[in-house]
């Protein structure tokens, strides 16, 4: 029986999280029952296929005895009882040890960790910058309420895009106390990221890399909104950029329309994200991690060894949490590697074949090693010439260039494996075709002729480059550019890079009326990247270096790319 469609879900617990989980399951059309007692009666347990235990969690030993008793009464035709221990924040609760023949599976579910993964999958770190243009991540996290810490830790696992040192700025009322806490918890984080600790009133961003993304996590959403607005103003004033600001709103459901949006603040709810039934029950987001694990099992079995005899080779359901998470982190970072190489994943039937060029592969191998090392550092591992798992010592925690040839080959193999892994999950890799659209002098264009001309140009590009994925790069500051971009998105499956030579509020303020502002905001909400550029000269340089083709309409004011120019 599929757990995803099971109608025998029992939520046990008397706290707020248990009640919220139950509400989300019912709202997601998952018929479920809730028992306030953390020790549900036998009758309720006998009819359950999935048991979700939440606040407070039971002690491991009594839980093990209870599960053995329940499973002994289950008939062979019934599926094993799936038990999920839901908690908030590391470390994972201790799991009781069950007999090998027990008809039950045990797993933990960290709400903050899953929320962080969900947020950084929906808004990846490269959504606010362009790695091939030499930009780097500068993430700012304001506040210490949930899930601020989980977001910071997971971001540090995914923050590797190249040689430039990324920056993580923390803003809190007591920055020195937060610094001491971080240095005690993650003493080696500064090996691969520059950490800054400031206050929301004085983020001190002058002479710092442009902020590429912001998360605001405060206990009271109204206070968070005030902080978000304050930071939006300070970042614009000090750096002349307007990154997306993600505001944690708790269980509130924000109202309003695009017309009410300022183009900067995006609401999210960590608890709502983490309690989605498709994530909790079907573990949506683990698909690629499972493929990575299966491939690892196959590599063990190829020379005739039994994967189940190795801790990291057990079936996914029996895999220790640390190995599952290692697979997840490798899978989550794949999208950063694609961003570095101007690639994206598409349905497999749209791809014939793909391989990274040798220089690309080597560059990505360096990045993969940095990612792997950061994951070890965050888990408390340190360098030592001899590996010692008990003491968390590892001899490979050294720069990539100091690795031996066989050790470098492990990172190279992980990179070369990416197309195969995606293919096994029904996807393939294609290269982007970046088409720059310079700003247009709207007074010198004929708007009634524009749609058929746009279709003609976009159709020609699609036929000429059938193996490329079209991406339009535009400031969206004029109506003509927006017509081109909208037709590209809606009729040619094009992506959008929003180029920002000035803060977005300035571009909005320059629009002639409310309809134009709404049009710009609707398209800005569909952009997969928001790339800050320091003025018109930087915009011209980006178009010159990054656009393979320039699509110029009328009297375009920007520079052409190095490639072809279509007027």
């Amino acid at each position: 029986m599929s757990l995803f469609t099971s109608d025998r879900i029992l939520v046990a617990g008397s706290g707020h999280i248990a009640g919220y989980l139950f509400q989300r399951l019912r709202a997601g059309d998952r018929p479920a029952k809730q028992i306030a007692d953390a020790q549900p009666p036998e009758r309720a347990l006998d009819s359950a296929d999935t048991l979700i235990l939440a606040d407070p969690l039971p002690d491991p030993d009594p839980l093990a005895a209870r599960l053995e008793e329940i499973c002994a009464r289950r008939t062979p035709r019934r599926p094993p009882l799936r038990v999920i221990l839901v908690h908030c924040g590391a470390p994972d609760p201790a799991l009781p040890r069950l007999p090998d023949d027990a008809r039950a599976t045990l797993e933990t579910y960290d709400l903050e960790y899953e929320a962080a993964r969900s947020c950084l999958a929906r808004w990846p770190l490269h959504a606010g910058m362009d790695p091939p243009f030499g930009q780097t991540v500068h993430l700012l996290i304001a506040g210490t309420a949930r899930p601020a810490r989980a977001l910071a830790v997971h971001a540090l696992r995914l923050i590797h895009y190249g040689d430039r040192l990324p920056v993580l700025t923390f803003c809190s009322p007591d920055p020195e106390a937060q610094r001491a806490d971080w240095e005690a918890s993650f003493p080696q984080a500064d090996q691969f990221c520059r950490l800054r600790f400031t206050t929301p009133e004085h983020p001190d961003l002058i002479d710092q890399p442009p902020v590429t993304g912001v998360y605001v996590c405060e206990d009271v959403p109204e206070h968070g909104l005030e902080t978000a607005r304050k930071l939006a103003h300070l970042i614009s004033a000090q750096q002349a950029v307007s990154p997306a600001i993600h505001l944690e709103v708790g269980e509130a459901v924000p109202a309003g329309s695009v017309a009410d949006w300022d183009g900067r603040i995006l609401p999210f709810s960590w608890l709502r994200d983490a309690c989605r039934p498709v994530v909790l029950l079907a573990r949506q987001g683990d698909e690629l991690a499972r493929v990575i694990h299966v491939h690892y099992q196959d590599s063990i079995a190829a020379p005739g060894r039994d994967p189940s005899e190795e801790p990291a080779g057990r079936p996914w359901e029996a895999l220790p949490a640390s190995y599952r998470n290692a697979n997840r982190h490798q899978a989550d970072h794949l999208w950063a590697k694609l961003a570095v190489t101007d690639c994206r994943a598409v349905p497999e039937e749209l791809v014939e074949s793909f391989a990274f060029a040798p220089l690309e592969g080597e560059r990505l191998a360096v990045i993969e090693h940095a990612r792997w090392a950061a994951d070890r550092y965050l888990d408390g591992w340190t360098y030592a010439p001899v590996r010692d798992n008990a003491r968390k010592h590892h001899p490979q925690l050294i720069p990539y260039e100091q690795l031996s040839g066989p050790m470098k080959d492990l990172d190279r193999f992980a990179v070369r494996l990416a197309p195969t892994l995606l293919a096994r999950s029904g996807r393939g890799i294609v290269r982007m075709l970046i088409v720059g659209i310079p700003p247009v002098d709207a007074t010198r264009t004929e708007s009634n002729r524009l749609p058929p001309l746009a279709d003609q140009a976009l159709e020609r590009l699609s036929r000429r480059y059938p193996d490329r994925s079209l991406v339009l790069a535009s400031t969206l500051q004029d109506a003509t550019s927006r017509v081109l971009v909208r037709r590209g998105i809606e009729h040619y499956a094009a992506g959008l890079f929003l180029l920002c030579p000035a803060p977005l509020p300035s571009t909005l303020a320059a629009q002639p009326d409310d309809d134009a502002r709404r049009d710009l905001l609707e398209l800005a909400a569909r952009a997969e990247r928001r790339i800050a550029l320091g003025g018109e000269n930087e915009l011209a340089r980006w178009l010159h270096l990054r656009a393979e083709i320039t699509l110029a309409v009328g009297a375009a004011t920007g520079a052409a790319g190095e490639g072809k120019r279509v007027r």
Side-chain angles (χ1 to χ4, degrees):
M1 180 181 296
S2 170
L3 294 172
F4 188 65
T5 59
S6 172
D7 59 357
R8 299 187 178 94
I9 302 171
L10 182 63
V11 181
S14 57
H16 174 70
I17 288 177
Y20 188 77
L21 276 168
F22 173 70
Q23 293 174 11
R24 292 288 289 163
L25 288 168
R26 294 297 297 269
D29 295 328
R30 308 289 189 275
K33 293 182 180 180
Q34 182 181 10
I35 304 293
D37 189 354
Q39 299 287 342
E42 278 73 7
R43 185 177 61 182
L45 285 169
D46 286 344
S47 63
D49 290 332
T50 301
L51 171 61
I52 300 173
L53 298 172
D55 57 336
L57 294 176
D59 293 331
D61 292 339
L63 175 61
R66 191 85 186 280
L67 291 177
E68 286 188 51
E69 178 185 344
I70 296 164
C71 293
R73 298 197 301 268
R74 294 178 76 85
T75 64
R77 298 180 61 183
R78 293 284 303 281
L81 176 64
R82 183 186 186 191
V83 183
I84 306 174
L85 278 68
V86 176
H87 67 106
C88 284
D92 286 337
L95 291 176
R97 184 171 183 81
L98 296 177
D100 293 338
D101 59 349
R103 293 185 51 76
T105 62
L106 283 172
E107 58 191 273
T108 59
Y109 188 86
D110 182 347
L111 289 168
E112 290 189 67
Y113 171 76
E114 295 297 339
R117 286 191 69 210
S118 176
C119 287
L120 293 173
R122 190 184 317 157
W123 299 299
L125 295 173
H126 55 265
M129 56 96 173
D130 184 25
F133 193 57
Q135 296 180 333
T136 190
V137 176
H138 182 176
L139 182 65
L140 188 151
I141 297 181
T144 57
R146 291 171 174 165
R149 189 182 184 91
L151 280 167
V153 173
H154 198 56
L156 288 173
R157 298 185 182 111
L158 308 179
I159 209 165
H160 313 279
Y161 287 83
D163 298 333
R164 292 174 179 261
L165 192 66
V167 181
L168 179 53
T169 295
F170 295 92
C171 292
S172 68
D174 191 345
E176 291 308 313
Q178 192 175 23
R179 181 195 301 274
D181 176 55
W182 264 86
E183 290 177 349
S185 302
F186 307 102
Q188 298 184 94
D190 60 359
Q191 296 271 356
F192 54 88
C193 182
R194 184 159 60 86
L195 306 181
R196 304 176 65 248
F197 299 87
T198 67
T199 64
E201 294 76 17
H202 303 285
D204 301 326
L205 298 171
I206 297 174
D207 297 329
Q208 298 295 329
V211 174
T212 56
V214 179
Y215 279 91
V216 178
C217 304
E218 295 196 5
D219 291 314
V220 181
E222 291 77 10
H223 295 171
L225 180 58
E226 181 182 349
T227 298
R229 288 171 171 164
K230 184 185 303 180
L231 285 171
H233 172 74
L234 289 171
I235 293 170
S236 293
Q238 296 182 14
Q239 295 191 321
V241 297
S242 54
I245 299 177
H246 308 284
L247 172 63
E248 212 293 309
V249 296
E251 296 174 34
V253 179
S257 65
V258 170
D260 305 313
W261 184 36
D262 66 354
R264 293 177 293 184
I265 299 176
L266 301 170
F268 78 100
S269 168
W270 75 272
L271 192 56
R272 189 181 301 120
D273 282 348
C275 292
R276 288 181 296 154
V278 292
V279 179
L280 175 66
L281 298 178
R283 287 302 180 100
Q284 184 184 72
D286 274 1
E287 299 87 353
L288 191 56
R290 286 174 174 264
V291 172
I292 290 173
H293 179 59
V294 169
H295 192 277
Y296 177 74
Q297 289 179 305
D298 292 345
S299 68
I300 295 175
R305 291 151 47 204
D306 184 356
S308 63
E309 293 182 356
E310 298 190 15
R314 298 173 185 171
W316 181 266
E317 290 72 19
L319 199 63
S322 60
Y323 293 114
R324 287 196 205 186
N325 289 341
N327 288 321
R328 288 168 178 151
H329 302 160
Q330 182 180 345
D332 290 352
H333 192 260
L334 174 59
W335 315 113
K337 295 182 177 71
L338 296 186
V340 167
T341 52
D342 282 339
C343 295
R344 60 166 22 126
V346 297
E348 187 181 15
E349 60 269 18
L350 301 179
V351 182
E352 291 187 5
S353 63
F354 180 89
F356 291 112
L359 289 179
E360 284 180 326
E362 191 65 11
R363 182 185 180 195
L364 293 179
V366 175
I367 294 174
E368 168 60 18
H369 180 68
R371 180 210 66 80
W372 171 86
D375 207 7
R376 300 286 83 74
Y377 283 135
L378 292 169
D379 195 35
W381 288 74
T382 58
Y383 167 78
V386 178
R387 181 166 180 170
D388 186 329
N389 289 352
R391 297 181 179 182
K392 292 190 172 181
H393 291 170
H394 207 296
Q396 309 308 328
L397 286 173
I398 54 178
Y400 179 83
E401 59 269 17
Q402 297 178 20
L403 293 174
S404 66
M407 290 298 102
K408 289 181 179 179
D409 285 341
L410 292 177
D411 294 311
R412 293 164 180 155
F413 180 72
V415 170
R416 290 195 297 268
L417 190 61
T420 302
L421 293 175
L422 281 170
R424 293 177 73 165
S425 62
R427 288 171 286 185
I429 300 176
V430 296
R431 297 190 184 277
M432 299 177 185
L433 177 68
I434 299 178
V435 178
I437 303 176
V440 175
D441 181 354
T443 62
R444 300 182 62 183
T445 59
E446 299 180 42
S447 58
N448 61 329
R449 293 186 58 201
L450 183 58
L453 289 174
D455 286 341
Q456 182 182 10
L458 294 169
E459 180 65 29
R460 286 174 59 192
L461 289 174
S462 298
R463 289 200 307 266
R464 176 66 179 82
Y465 302 95
D467 57 341
R468 306 287 290 277
S469 181
L470 186 63
V471 174
L472 304 178
S474 170
T475 65
L476 300 180
Q477 67 187 45
D478 58 90
T480 302
S481 296
R482 294 197 293 271
V483 169
L484 283 171
V485 169
R486 189 178 295 278
R487 296 195 77 82
I489 292 175
E490 295 179 353
H491 298 283
Y492 299 92
L496 169 61
F497 285 3
L498 175 57
L499 307 179
C500 300
L504 193 55
S506 301
T507 306
L508 287 169
Q511 298 305 303
D513 51 43
D514 288 341
D515 288 340
R517 282 189 286 274
R518 186 181 300 108
D519 188 35
L520 194 157
L521 285 169
E522 287 176 350
L523 285 173
R526 303 172 75 171
E528 60 189 76
R529 301 265 190 94
R530 182 186 296 195
I531 302 171
L533 299 168
E536 296 300 325
N537 290 337
E538 190 77 351
L539 170 63
R541 191 169 77 88
W542 192 95
L543 289 168
H544 178 70
L545 295 177
R546 296 286 287 125
E548 292 184 64
I549 293 175
T550 303
L551 192 57
V553 180
T557 61
E562 286 191 333
K564 299 178 180 178
R565 182 178 179 89
V566 178
R567 181 176 293 279

